[in-house]
Amino acid sequence: MKGVPFSDFQAQVRSLRTEIDSAIGRVLDSGWFVLGPEGEAFERELAQALGAEDAVCVGNGTEAIQLALEALGIGPGDEVVTTSLSAAFTALAVLRTGARPVFVDVDPSTLNLSPEGIERVLNPRTKALLPVHLYGNPADMTSILGIADKKGIVVVEDACQAHGARFSGRFAGTLGVAGALSFYPTKNLGGLGDGGAVLVKEAGLAARIRQLRNGGQSDRYRHEEAGINSRLDEIQAAVLRAKLGHLESWTARRRAIAELYRRGLSGTGLSIPATTEGAVHHLFVVRHPRRDRFMAALRERGIGTLIHYPIPLHLQPAFASLGPKPGDLPAAEQAASQVLSLPLYPELTDAQAHEVVDAVREVLRTLPA
Ligand SMILES: *Cc1c(COP(=O)(O)O)cnc(C)c1O
């Protein structure tokens, strides 16, 4: 038994070292470091790879969500409906616009935003739906787009965990009016630092986001509106261009490992959230009623795990005043107490994946699910 770490960024950097060095070298030689040719090329290549009309790169995924909402005119007095089971950054982005995030329960089988939950909180202040494609598995976009259509409001997708995921053949992030991506190092397409992008259909919306990300300037030193500084630097863009070419094969590898886990863990009684074939398996999540003991027993066997996420957003101290109250979103609350993520990244070997399966099966003998 060698143990399997939860993540291994060095492995990817090692395997792409020559490409990364030459990408960085190109930027050093150009002498141009923020908003330049690498960023423009990456925006084109990203949009092309993910079937979007346009892509606007920004500083991180949180600001990708914030700027998409702001560019759509969403702000103080408005409500944005989102899931209670996500990275807190989803809701922080909404709060930065001045709008109020309204947390909704999850579907207990997929752990994605529940369409029935959305219906219950709609009111005249609701201006947008913000589904998260949690763990890389697309949310139920047919129902979500249907609700938005009926109500005449927009859908902005938090696709920060779902680069290249597909729903009914279309890429996550291109189903709503805008889709946010993050290039944080742990994501399916990760840079060597922070980064993000908004996938956009409409040229006017893309132009507005480009203005907002650069201080609201319409022209050099003319600030048409109060934007923010959220620009992707040229080094990140160059590195991401090199990595983008590998996204498809990385996704295939993630799917193969997820399948290996699914087969290996079938019949153990361990509950695994349902995914669709378009999922890109950002995380492989299982549920255990005594999660913390389960996690500790795996740690003793050298298996690294993490919890995504231990506190549902409506119970986070930062958001508790927004409601709902404890007990109001039971599926999200129960999931938060039971979920555990196993190691899953493209560089994980079959031998490592089998070691994880064997360790989980062994632990389940003394700690049944
Ligand atoms: C990572 C992530 C974000 C935030 O992205 P950053 O680049 O870290 O700002 C938002 N939502 C979800 C679901 C994420 O996984």
Side-chain angles (χ1 to χ4, degrees):
M1 191 196 80
K2 297 192 229 33
V4 181
F6 181 73
S7 53
D8 184 359
F9 306 123
Q10 279 308 101
Q12 192 175 87
V13 171
R14 260 197 313 274
S15 77
L16 295 184
R17 187 58 194 255
T18 320
E19 283 175 76
I20 291 173
D21 280 347
S22 95
I24 294 175
R26 236 175 24 240
V27 177
L28 298 186
D29 290 340
S30 81
W32 192 272
F33 298 105
V34 176
L35 292 187
E38 294 291 336
E40 283 167 24
F42 178 55
E43 288 184 342
R44 275 195 307 277
E45 290 159 7
L46 182 68
Q48 163 94 41
L50 297 184
E53 298 301 320
D54 202 352
V56 183
C57 287
V58 297
N60 53 65
T62 307
E63 288 167 352
I65 301 169
Q66 176 191 337
L67 293 180
L69 292 171
E70 282 181 354
L72 288 159
I74 289 158
D78 298 335
E79 293 186 359
V80 176
V81 179
T82 193
T83 170
S84 186
L85 193 65
S86 182
F89 294 94
T90 304
L92 290 170
V94 176
L95 277 176
R96 283 293 142 195
T97 68
R100 171 197 173 104
V102 174
F103 300 117
V104 157
D105 210 354
V106 296
D107 175 320
S109 71
T110 62
L111 303 187
N112 265 324
L113 180 59
S114 149
E116 294 74 35
I118 298 174
E119 299 267 14
R120 263 180 252 128
V121 300
L122 293 174
N123 72 71
R125 289 181 303 277
T126 312
K127 292 292 150 55
L129 307 182
L130 178 59
V132 177
H133 305 303
L134 194 68
Y135 312 144
N137 184 45
D140 175 2
M141 292 302 287
T142 304
S143 305
I144 291 167
L145 291 167
I147 294 170
D149 240 23
K150 205 170 59 189
K151 177 96 173 95
I153 59 176
V154 294
V155 175
V156 173
E157 301 168 70
D158 179 343
C160 288
Q161 303 187 350
H163 317 66
R166 283 174 186 267
F167 182 89
S168 295
R170 290 161 67 194
F171 282 111
T174 68
L175 292 120
V177 291
L181 298 177
S182 164
F183 306 122
Y184 184 73
T186 61
K187 307 292 162 132
N188 289 29
L189 179 62
L192 302 179
D194 279 310
V198 191
L199 302 180
V200 210
K201 251 194 275 300
E202 200 205 308
L205 186 60
R208 181 95 194 271
I209 298 171
R210 286 201 167 88
Q211 182 166 295
L212 283 170
R213 76 172 171 187
N214 197 16
Q217 292 175 87
S218 54
D219 237 320
R220 186 178 283 200
Y221 306 133
R222 179 181 169 85
H223 293 258
E224 204 59 45
E225 58 182 334
I228 62 174
N229 179 350
S230 184
R231 304 176 296 223
L232 188 73
D233 66 75
E234 290 282 280
I235 288 184
Q236 292 309 330
V239 169
L240 287 164
R241 288 181 73 192
K243 288 193 169 200
L244 181 62
H246 299 276
L247 180 61
E248 249 186 72
S249 67
W250 287 338
T251 297
R253 180 67 194 146
R254 284 179 180 275
R255 288 179 172 145
I257 298 165
E259 182 58 25
L260 188 155
Y261 279 160
R262 241 173 218 292
R263 282 170 199 264
L265 299 175
S266 75
T268 60
L270 199 62
S271 155
I272 302 173
T275 54
T276 51
E277 64 174 330
V280 292
H281 305 283
H282 172 59
L283 295 168
F284 191 91
V285 172
V286 300
R287 301 177 66 155
H288 195 288
R290 283 173 290 171
R291 189 261 320 277
D292 294 349
R293 287 182 58 191
F294 181 58
M295 185 178 192
L298 286 172
R299 190 183 312 120
E300 277 169 29
R301 284 163 179 77
I303 309 299
T305 60
L306 283 177
I307 300 169
H308 301 90
Y309 294 89
I311 307 175
L313 300 188
H314 66 291
L315 304 184
Q316 286 283 1
F319 308 131
S321 65
L322 299 169
K325 291 187 294 299
D328 285 349
L329 305 182
E333 291 173 32
Q334 192 185 48
S337 73
Q338 295 186 338
V339 290
L340 190 69
S341 307
L342 303 179
L344 197 167
Y345 35 95
E347 297 77 20
L348 193 82
T349 64
D350 278 3
Q352 287 178 306
H354 284 298
E355 185 178 335
V356 172
V357 168
D358 292 345
V360 170
R361 295 188 78 102
E362 196 182 305
V363 169
L364 287 172
R365 280 201 281 278
T366 51
L367 207 64

